């Protein structure tokens, strides 16, 4: 993300991809990522972001979708199992009128061996 541009991004995090191997060659795997927002800010606006509860509402939305079985669509026969927040949102940096917030997430999925 450019240091002077407002926006959102999803960044991949390095993580051991395989959680469990099965005797039938299927795997339970994981993919970790960071959702980041970057916005022009003043100290008052930063406090309003925290007070607005955007990231708290986002975390609750993730949890509700898990409970309802609503997941991202995956290709190539991958079956999503869960999306979870692994680290609550926090201000990563605040400088020169810009603030960068992020929340860490993980997608667990089943990869079936094709025969």
């Amino acid at each position: 993300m450019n240091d002077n541009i407002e926006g959102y991004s999803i960044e991949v995090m390095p993580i051991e991809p395989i959680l469990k191997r099965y005797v039938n060659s299927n795997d339970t795997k994981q993919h970790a990522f960071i959702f980041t927002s970057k916005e022009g800010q003043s100290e008052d606006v930063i406090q309003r972001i925290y007070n607005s509860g955007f990231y708290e509402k986002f975390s609750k939305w993730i949890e509700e979708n898990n409970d309802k079985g609503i997941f991202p669509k995956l290709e190539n026969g991958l079956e999503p199992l869960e999306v979870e927040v692994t680290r609550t949102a926090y201000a990563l940096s605040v400088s020169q009128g810009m603030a960068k917030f992020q929340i860490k997430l993980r997608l667990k999925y089943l990869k079936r061996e094709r025969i």
Side-chain angles (χ1 to χ4, degrees):
M1 216 182 265
N2 183 310
D3 286 343
N4 298 317
I5 297 177
E6 295 182 1
Y8 300 91
S9 68
I10 296 176
E11 303 166 25
V12 175
M13 290 176 42
I15 192 170
E16 172 59 42
I18 298 173
L19 289 170
K20 185 173 183 178
R21 287 194 183 272
Y22 300 94
V23 294
N24 64 0
S25 298
N26 292 345
D27 295 325
T28 298
K29 299 182 91 174
Q30 63 183 346
H31 183 77
F33 57 99
I34 302 169
F35 174 78
T36 303
S37 65
K38 188 170 184 187
E39 303 175 44
Q41 304 296 341
S42 68
E43 288 299 321
D44 291 338
V45 175
I46 291 169
Q47 189 59 46
R48 277 185 266 155
I49 293 274
Y50 280 122
N51 292 345
S52 75
F54 169 79
Y55 280 99
E56 185 176 326
K57 290 173 189 172
F58 180 72
S59 295
K60 185 176 180 181
W61 177 76
I62 294 289
E63 185 177 316
E64 288 171 352
N65 282 339
N66 273 311
D67 292 344
K68 295 175 185 175
I70 300 171
F71 302 110
K73 293 184 181 187
L74 304 178
E75 296 180 359
N76 301 321
L78 303 178
E79 179 185 333
L81 302 172
E82 179 183 32
V83 177
E84 65 180 335
V85 173
T86 59
R87 179 156 183 186
T88 56
Y90 59 97
L92 180 63
S93 64
V94 179
S95 63
Q96 299 177 6
M98 299 297 287
K100 186 175 181 180
F101 297 90
Q102 67 180 30
I103 187 170
K104 294 182 180 181
L105 302 110
R106 175 174 68 165
L107 167 65
K108 290 188 208 175
Y109 61 96
L110 181 63
K111 180 181 180 189
R112 297 183 190 277
E113 180 63 29
R114 293 185 178 191
I115 300 174

